[in-house]
Amino acid sequence: MSMLAPLRLLREPWNASEGNQSNAGAGSAWCQGLNIPSELFLTLGLVSLVENLLVVAAILKNRNLHSPTYYFICCLAVSDMLVSVSNLAETLFMLLMEHGVLVVHTSIVRHMDNVIDMLICSSVVSSLSFLGVIAVDRYITIFYALRYHSIMTLQRAVVTMASIWLTSTVSSTVFITYCHNNAILLCLIGFFLFMLVLMLVLYIHMFTLARHHLRSISRQQKQPTVYHDSSLKGAVTLTILLGVFFICWGPFFFHLILIVTCPTNPFCTCFFSYFNLFLILIICNSVIDPLIYAFRSQELRRTLREVVRCSW
């Protein structure tokens, strides 16, 4: 994936010297990175695209799912679809060029690369934003259940979604335009850390409340075993939720941190060589998101079966 690398300016930092990269590569075999086949990018992209298309189609089809919660999930699916579409377009474009089927001028290649980079940046910002919004929505559902419909009105949900899409589009444009400025990368890193802390605090608080309620119920019913099993299940769910988020997004943003802090350090230049692996993890996240946020709904699963059977 070297001819038209996604986010090439992140993959090969502008302030890292070629000499340091070559010396690091010669000193250690693991610095050579991983040769990830294009077929893997295509397969994961197609799986993610189909999954998220089904989620969007099911939510649009079923009027019972026309609520702020499912609209946020729908927007998350669209964001993940952007990851898939940009990945598929980039991979197909590269394969056609490598096999001589498509002959394109260098300036057009650079323009296409910028467009794909903007799509990827926009999908990154919007995906992280909607993951945070879904966490806030769940928090309101639990702690302000009686006031939920007055707090999270349809109008506020629409404004929130429109604001996120507008912000992600503008920020991706700014990122591509001023990509050589470390301040831009610091803003992106800060945004990721903010979302990580936000989700961590909200979900742990929700789990603590659920655990407290289960303890009260178990004391009244004298069933400590049920309380223990439910708490364990809740802890596992929370661990999976936050673990998937950190594992899929963490390496990419650690990559950005190293670009800012140590672009010419031998260890950092070795780490940069695994950039395509970090992109694979982000694509995997777009595959996993529907399993975590959408397919757990019985109503949505029923609608999905109808969509698959083409019973529109």
Side-chain angles (χ1 to χ4, degrees):
M1 305 281 290
S2 59
M3 195 171 195
L4 184 66
L7 298 178
R8 66 189 184 286
L9 294 171
L10 298 182
R11 191 173 187 270
E12 300 173 358
W14 56 90
N15 47 358
S17 65
E18 294 181 0
N20 284 342
Q21 290 181 357
S22 61
N23 291 335
S28 178
W30 76 275
C31 292
Q32 301 302 320
L34 292 177
N35 184 20
I36 300 178
S38 300
E39 291 78 8
L40 181 58
F41 279 92
L42 287 172
T43 302
L44 289 176
L46 285 172
V47 171
S48 172
L49 182 61
V50 171
E51 271 189 351
N52 289 287
L53 271 175
L54 288 174
V55 171
V56 173
I59 292 175
L60 293 178
K61 173 182 172 59
N62 192 339
R63 291 186 177 275
N64 294 331
L65 302 178
H66 291 183
S67 64
T69 298
Y70 284 102
Y71 285 152
F72 294 145
I73 293 176
C74 183
C75 286
L76 176 62
V78 173
S79 298
D80 289 336
M81 283 169 56
L82 279 179
V83 176
S84 306
V85 170
S86 58
N87 163 66
L88 289 172
E90 185 264 345
T91 305
L92 290 173
F93 194 70
M94 282 174 45
L95 289 175
L96 291 175
M97 292 180 63
E98 289 175 356
H99 290 83
V101 177
L102 185 63
V103 179
V104 184
H105 192 269
T106 305
S107 60
I108 298 179
V109 173
R110 188 177 297 109
H111 179 69
M112 287 292 297
D113 200 14
N114 287 334
V115 171
I116 292 172
D117 288 353
M118 289 181 64
L119 281 174
I120 293 176
C121 289
S122 179
S123 63
V124 166
V125 175
S126 59
S127 293
L128 290 174
S129 299
F130 284 116
L131 286 172
V133 168
I134 290 172
V136 172
D137 181 75
R138 288 183 173 182
Y139 184 86
I140 296 173
T141 302
I142 292 177
F143 286 92
Y144 303 95
L146 298 179
R147 297 170 50 200
Y148 174 81
H149 293 290
S150 61
I151 295 175
M152 189 58 69
T153 62
L154 183 59
Q155 182 179 3
R156 287 177 180 172
V158 171
V159 170
T160 300
M161 292 184 289
S163 300
I164 290 176
W165 285 119
L166 179 61
T167 303
S168 62
T169 302
V170 172
S171 61
S172 63
T173 305
V174 172
F175 178 82
I176 298 301
T177 305
Y178 301 100
C179 55
H180 291 81
N181 193 333
N182 280 346
I184 299 297
L185 292 183
L186 288 174
C187 290
L188 195 57
I189 294 168
F191 177 66
F192 167 75
L193 293 176
F194 171 76
M195 284 301 170
L196 178 62
V197 172
L198 176 67
M199 293 178 64
L200 190 66
V201 171
L202 292 181
Y203 281 123
I204 288 179
H205 194 192
M206 284 186 278
F207 171 70
T208 303
L209 177 66
R211 187 169 176 267
H212 176 73
H213 285 174
L214 286 172
R215 181 184 297 174
S216 300
I217 293 173
S218 65
R219 285 175 179 174
Q220 295 175 3
Q221 299 180 350
K222 297 181 180 181
Q223 294 178 337
T225 304
V226 174
Y227 158 71
H228 176 74
D229 292 342
S230 300
S231 296
L232 182 61
K233 182 184 295 185
V236 170
T237 301
L238 180 64
T239 302
I240 292 174
L241 191 71
L242 296 175
V244 167
F245 177 82
F246 185 77
I247 291 173
C248 291
W249 290 100
F252 174 78
F253 282 92
F254 185 61
H255 179 97
L256 300 187
I257 292 173
L258 294 185
I259 289 178
V260 176
T261 57
C262 60
T264 59
N265 182 277
F267 169 79
C268 297
T269 53
C270 283
F271 195 82
F272 296 152
S273 64
Y274 288 84
F275 183 73
N276 281 335
L277 175 61
F278 310 149
L279 288 182
I280 285 288
L281 290 176
I282 292 178
I283 298 172
C284 287
N285 184 78
S286 66
V287 175
I288 297 172
D289 276 347
L291 303 177
I292 296 178
Y293 296 98
F295 295 158
R296 296 176 65 185
S297 167
Q298 184 176 357
E299 180 76 11
L300 193 141
R301 288 200 306 270
R302 181 183 64 80
T303 309
L304 280 173
R305 285 193 292 267
E306 295 177 1
V307 171
V308 173
R309 294 168 185 168
C310 299
S311 57
W312 288 85

